[in-house]
Amino acid sequence: MALIERLQRRASNWGLLPRLLQLLPRLAILSGIIGLGWLAIYLPLEGEFRHTYISENALMPSQAYSYFRETEWNLLRGYRTQIKQLADESSDQRNAVLGSWLEEVGVKTAIYRDPVNGDSLYGVWHAPRGDGTEAMVLAAPWYNGDGDFNVGGTALATALTKFFSRWPLWSKNIIVVFSEDTRASLRSWCHAYHNNLDLTGGSIESAIVLDYPGSNDYFKYMEIYYAGLNGELPNLDLVNVAVHVTEHEGMRVSLNGIPESEVDEEDYYGRMRKMLLGVRKMALAGVQTCYGNEAFSGYRIQSVVLRARGTDGPFDITTFGRVPEAVIRSVNNLLEKFHQSFFFYLLLAPRYFVSIASYLPAAIAFSAAFILAGLDNYLKSSMKTSAGPNASSYTLATIFVFVASLVASFGVFQIFVQWVKPAILVLSSVMASLAPIYPLKNRVSSAHAQQLKAIAFFYLSVVLTSLLVVNFALAFGIGLLAFPMIFLKTTTNPRLAIKNSILLTATNPFICSCLFANVFESQLPNLELIPRLVSAWKELGCWTWVLISIGWLPSWLTMAISSLPTTDTVSTTQKPTTLDTDVKKLQ
Amino acid sequence: MRANLVCLWAFIAARNSIAVNSIDDELVIPNETESAGSADQTCSILKSSNSPENNTYTVGKKEREEPEIVEELEIGLDGDTKINAVLFSNETIIKYPFGEELTLKPLPRNFMLASFAFELQSNNFTVGKTESAYDTYRHYTVFPKALSPILEYTQTRQLHLRFTHGRWDAESWGQLPHNGTKSGGNGVELWAVVEAGSQHEAFENWIMLANSLSGLFCSSINFIDVEKTTYPVSSFQPAEERTIPIFNSSNQAYLLRAALANEPICTENLTPFLKLLPTRGRSGISSLLDGHKVFDSNWHSLSIDVETSCNGDTCQYQMEENIEMVFNVPNSLARADNPIPKPVRDSDLQCDESKPHDSWECFPLPQSKHTNFQLSKLFGKKILGSNLISENPSKVCAQVSDSWTVYVGIDDDLFATDDNCFTIKNDQLHDIHLKSDNTAHLKECEDVPLFVSRSLTGYGQDSGGLRTVFSNPSNESVQAIYFESLPWYMRLYLSSLKIESDAGLEIGDVIKSTFYLPAIDRERPTHLEFNITIPAETTLALTYQFDKALLKYAEYPPDANHGFEIESALVTVLTPIHYEMRTTTLLLSLSTPDFSMPYNVIILTSTVMGLAFGTLFNLMVKKLVTIEEADKKASAKVGLKAKLIAKLKKLKGKGDKVNQLKKDQ
């Protein structure tokens, strides 16, 4: 107590608080820079990340010999030839034929009818003498994320099911799913499984999506996708098992679709690139191409996608098949649900990771930056209004404006879900961004403007803080993209007004995320991002659209209103007080 | 060998004579146990000659230990020679009320049901006389000695115990054996009719029963407690033709039931089952039962039913023991050859010739319909002769269609019968040969009157739902009772009961009456019984919602993250036929704490409390002054350092003075 008291007295003697308060805008900027630097520069440094390890001892990946080889190869090719002929058939036809093959193996099959997203054929292989309370999913969508007919994947799933049916060791049921696509159809099946399917096989522990388009026998390397919707990741143990098994079979692993040339780069820049790509994939999960694992998010199912790349190479299709075989056998060993290892992590390489404690400061720094900026604006405005005659009416007006922008954002969110017109959205955003140069007669007082900015920053900070654990990548992304809002100045200077207008355009949720997508994601050209966001919300239940339009947009709108041409009305009615005297009052 | 026997019997007789002489009644019971133990040794000697040395050893050892008995041995021998003569000079085999039968029933898709049924009866006993009060020697003969005292002191009139595991594929295999009355849900299921003066007393007896059975069957039946026990109202009712005998007219009969879902069932549970049989699994059909094979089957069920039937004051226990299993014949045979199902050899691949096939690819043919195997291949051994102690010799029956041929093989000879039933004779090794050109052609499978499946819905940690699908494929409406017992941590909302039906049925059309006993936390499970009617050719689903309760820290099991097993629901079909079936068990995941969290919480709270205490303590013991006053005091106060400096200066000053003086001098 005495120590704190002494420190506090020292600080007040030195005038530390007023000095800090003057430094607030700079501190806010510094905090943002620290946030970016922490993630991009600090974490990939040697010593800041860890080697992955299998945390759950029961998993024992690759401890048993994989038998999906030899004549299983002939059977697989037999199935594949037949499936190739099904490519041009209707979905009903395909499902009926494949269903009959599965029934022949002893699998109970059913077709889940979804007239909107497409039917899914699924089969439950009941583990002999099993409890029937748990299940593992092997999914092979008919068409993969790129829209190619998944010949290899579906043939593998069929051959593996037949292969599995001969083994007596299963403790969990095996559910094999053939959905129409990797996105809405698989998601809709997963939703129905947890709601109203008649044929079920217990609670699903893990899901493996097989993606092997084309009927080539050989492939080059394996891609693993793991980022789920809404920031959800599969338990690190499952990813580790998949990586471990794949490398055990001799294949190279590419995470999140890193191009083949960069797979082996494990130096500082390689790690940085892989990690930032991982963060980007997580933030845009559901919006960019879905490979299938996203469908299982939110149901406590750990899922990964195994994807064969390259049409020639040293590895043949049964080598690929041994990976799901070994992963499923590992999961089969589990007595408890996945809970040992990390649920929050970033991978810097297939076998390097950072855990939540290490990476979280990056997003916290952005939240802190907005709090500091908000505090700065709040103090400045309260300095101007505290002695004024209409202080409470200012506050009321601020709250009213903020609530209005919140309502407007909600309107935007609802309207554009029904009526997807990205051009209009972007155009009106640009119009709103021109707010600082509107020729207005009734100008906003600068105190009012600062109060509005304060509430906008506080709101954004609250949104980001509550999001940062749940969906780190999105919190970090919004923080980073909205960060330039801090530079918006309350001014009467017309030159600065133009600068404000440019800043507003650059931080508009829709414009800036579209720009980001255009720069980094070749799959999302022009304004493609916005309809994708909407469809991800409608079909997959991905919250990114909601967070952008209700989390980010209200504070941007408030900022735009606060950037309307201002006058220093307060200063004319009241003598400006010095900062120091005001701070003393606060104390 | 005969000499050994005589010696042994003499020994028993000697022990008995001591027992009779003994005054202390309590001593009689252990003696009886001893004699029962010797009696089975006699059995094993009768049947085969595998352990005479053992017996000699035992006797010899006893003789050495108790030399006085040896002296009395002569007297005992004299008294009991007649019995010995009756027992052993007669070549005809002793008859006891025991019967056993093995039924083999091929099922679709090359599965086969093997159903072992054993029936036995106890000797008569008189109501009102406890075991120790018998003035005559109490014979158990074939009835297991282990069970009778348990039934007696827990006043159990009917006992039903089920160990079941696996999934009965009703869609393909049809009805369960014995109309489903002999198999339970996944795990262990126990119900009993207990005579008692009050429900409380009945429950005490029940717990005693569960604990005793737990030891007897090497199973966790002792985990049955008040949280799991229900008193079924319209399910589990004893068969009508059997009246429950009440020994004390002021008592009542109580029906109690509990289940342990997904309790693992293993060899150590089978061994006690075999030990209850008079043949001990060493002769007759039970000699086939080997844990490795029984528990390698797709579905298996071990059951015991003991019922008390009385005629006036004379009562008798009647016991049925059933051990049933379903094999996937090709897989089991393949496993007998090679335990690892490796990929088949190139030459063994069976390809569909109508589709492209070469040395690179092969579209598999459907399963072969030819079969030819011996029972010994499936079970790993042959039948070791008949049971030799029963009124009826052991029997093996195969329920097959014309496409099958069944032989019994004795040594190298094969025999066939018209009805495919074989009597196992003497102590020869028997084997059953089954052969078919069309395994799909089976004896008519009775269709199941109703299909039921149940699943959990939802995915949250705080709430969920149950969905039960009833499907009546027949053209008759089905009346049934749906019984469900759910743990208290599933807080059921019966108000959320809804029906999903394409035919537009209302709840009132399906559920005719409801018995609902809500759960009490940690004291009682939810007990639900619906009387339902499912119209012909209809599929409907009943759904209801529940909340998941939070458990106390210590209430979580060691494998808390596995989830909590929810026992299966029972459906008793009343019309058109009497049939029982169970749904699968479920795995409920509750929110599970990180079990290291309490320590973090303790550390955090301690820190906060420490801070608060420090502040308060400071406020209480220190004087509050203004900053100016404090500053003034601080400047006025002479610190330790200043005092020291002053002292030093003083010393220095003194020294200087001294020096000065010295100098002056």
Side-chain angles (χ1 to χ4, degrees), chain A residues 55-76:
Chain A
S55 184
E56 170 66 87
N57 289 324
L59 282 167
M60 299 191 287
S62 305
Q63 296 286 299
Y65 189 73
S66 297
Y67 283 97
F68 191 69
R69 52 181 87 223
E70 298 165 30
T71 51
E72 299 296 334
W73 191 56
N74 300 35
L75 299 179
L76 173 67

Side-chain angles (χ1 to χ4, degrees), chain A residues 402 405-406 409 452 455-457 459-460 482 485 550-560:
Chain A
F402 178 70
S405 47
L406 208 57
S409 304
L452 281 171
I455 201 168
F457 282 134
Y459 176 73
L460 191 58
M485 283 209 288
I550 298 180
W552 186 357
L553 187 60
S555 83
W556 183 85
L557 276 178
T558 317
M559 289 302 279

